[in-house]
Amino acid sequence: MHPIILLFVISLLHAYEARGSDTVTPVFVQKGKDLLLNVTAPVKLVKRSEFKWQFKDSIIFRLFDDNETIIIGPYHGRVEIFLQNHSLLLKNVQQADSGRYTAAVFGNEINYVGKYSVTVQDPVSLVNGTVDLLSNSSDSCNLTVTCSTQDSHHINSTFRCDTNTCSQEEGGERSKVTTSGTSLRVYLSKGFSVICNHSNQVSSDEHITMIRDFCFSNPAPEPRSNIIIPSVAVIVTVILVLVIIYIGAAFVRHRKKGKHETKDKENTLYETVQHYVCLAARAACLCSNKTLCCGSEANFQLHRAAFIQTSL
């Protein structure tokens, strides 16, 4: 019985070691970065044994039982081996470096001390969030946020808000996996912030949209032209009143003078009225930013000078 039990225990141990040796660890690394791979068990070399790091079926590094080391040609300058723990450092990884890496001691049998499946990824492209305002008032707001990446992927979601809280339609956070294997998400964070997130296993980028920048705003101010029109009317009215007063005063002076000055005063009075009317029209035109009245600028200055002269 005892030998049988011993054989059973040994077979269990071998089965456990076999399962452990078959474990492949996934590793993701960003393109252009350095990759560090460690061994998962101590490396012990005996006579006529050696330690190897391999990429697929190609040998990267060899360590012999006399501590002689060899780095295979294509990896010269790209690989560094730490002999104290037999770790591998592969520098400036590229897409072609994606694949299976193994570390093992070769002798009477092969004893694997590390298995890795390495994936080299590019950093994700930038993501941006744009807003389509569906409705807006002082106490409620509906809007759609669209998250777009520079490589033409997009996702959107609608949000309903009042002055206290916001909720996301479609059952909450939305996400999708793009054709390049990245993840694109849009979700509500901290009440009034919408996050657009673009990520993979090695990098991420996000854009934050503040809902309050688009919602609960005051009505837009009236166009400036609506304000200018009443101002023009007031100015013209005041000038016309002054013209009327001046005409009345001139008429009284005309009555007191002799009839021999009647013709000259009538001409003067007519010119004075014309100057005032011109000035009133000119003020109205300038205030409303329309075409100059009273003809050209030179003509206007002539009227103005004549008016000042007749007023003295």
Side-chain angles (χ1 to χ4, degrees):
M1 291 293 295
H2 292 293
I4 295 176
I5 294 175
L6 181 59
L7 288 173
F8 178 74
V9 170
I10 292 173
S11 65
L12 287 177
L13 289 174
H14 280 297
Y16 177 78
E17 290 176 357
R19 285 197 300 269
S21 65
D22 288 337
T23 301
V24 179
T25 303
V27 175
F28 296 88
V29 60
Q30 183 174 317
K31 181 180 177 181
K33 301 292 186 180
D34 295 344
L35 170 65
L36 178 64
L37 299 176
N38 297 313
V39 296
T40 56
V43 174
K44 297 179 180 180
L45 295 181
V46 297
K47 191 173 182 179
R48 295 181 180 178
S49 65
E50 63 176 305
F51 170 74
K52 296 179 184 178
W53 270 107
Q54 290 181 274
F55 171 56
K56 300 178 181 177
D57 294 327
S58 301
I59 298 175
I60 301 173
F61 168 81
R62 299 177 72 180
L63 170 65
F64 298 96
D65 58 357
D66 60 357
N67 289 328
E68 180 185 356
T69 61
I70 298 176
I71 294 177
I72 306 304
Y75 292 96
H76 276 294
R78 291 195 61 207
V79 164
E80 186 175 348
I81 300 294
F82 302 99
L83 293 178
Q84 64 272 26
N85 58 11
H86 303 91
S87 297
L88 167 73
L89 180 68
L90 181 60
K91 302 175 182 179
N92 187 28
V93 296
Q94 302 298 311
Q95 296 288 357
D97 294 316
S98 295
R100 184 183 177 93
Y101 289 78
T102 57
V105 176
F106 292 81
N108 293 331
E109 59 183 14
I110 300 175
N111 181 24
Y112 286 99
V113 292
K115 291 183 178 182
Y116 297 93
S117 177
V118 173
T119 303
V120 179
Q121 293 183 327
D122 290 316
V124 297
S125 62
L126 299 180
V127 65
N128 187 44
T130 56
V131 174
D132 182 15
L133 194 58
L134 305 178
S135 65
N136 185 26
S137 68
S138 61
D139 58 0
S140 66
C141 178
N142 294 330
L143 53 85
T144 296
V145 177
T146 300
C147 303
S148 304
T149 67
Q150 290 184 341
D151 46 0
S152 302
H153 299 294
H154 66 273
I155 189 174
N156 59 53
S157 187
T158 301
F159 300 85
R160 298 182 182 274
C161 304
D162 57 31
T163 54
N164 296 317
T165 60
C166 283
S167 62
Q168 185 172 1
E169 300 292 301
E170 304 98 16
E173 177 180 327
R174 297 196 64 203
S175 64
K176 64 180 290 187
V177 177
T178 69
T179 54
S180 58
T182 63
S183 173
L184 185 58
R185 298 187 298 149
V186 55
Y187 60 94
L188 187 65
S189 174
K190 298 180 181 178
F192 289 91
S193 300
V194 176
I195 308 296
C196 293
N197 181 273
H198 187 209
S199 64
N200 58 14
Q201 287 82 356
V202 299
S203 65
S204 67
D205 184 66
E206 71 176 27
H207 180 275
I208 301 176
T209 298
M210 302 301 297
I211 291 178
R212 289 191 183 276
D213 290 344
F214 300 90
C215 292
F216 318 122
S217 58
N218 294 325
E222 293 183 3
R224 185 169 180 82
S225 59
N226 293 342
I227 300 174
I228 292 175
I229 292 175
S231 301
V232 172
V234 171
I235 294 172
V236 172
T237 301
V238 170
I239 293 177
L240 289 177
V241 169
L242 292 176
V243 169
I244 293 172
I245 293 173
Y246 185 85
I247 291 173
F251 181 75
V252 171
R253 288 199 306 270
H254 170 70
R255 298 281 293 183
K256 290 182 178 180
K257 299 290 183 177
K259 290 183 178 180
H260 61 278
E261 296 178 349
T262 298
K263 185 174 182 179
D264 292 339
K265 287 297 182 178
E266 284 176 352
N267 293 335
T268 300
L269 183 60
Y270 172 79
E271 292 175 356
T272 301
V273 172
Q274 184 182 22
H275 297 324
Y276 268 114
V277 171
C278 179
L279 287 174
R282 172 68 171 217
C285 292
L286 289 177
C287 290
S288 59
N289 295 318
K290 297 179 180 178
T291 307
L292 295 177
C293 301
C294 304
S296 66
E297 180 66 24
N299 194 21
F300 169 72
Q301 294 298 338
L302 181 62
H303 279 283
R304 182 174 179 274
F307 167 71
I308 293 173
Q309 183 65 31
T310 57
S311 300
L312 296 177

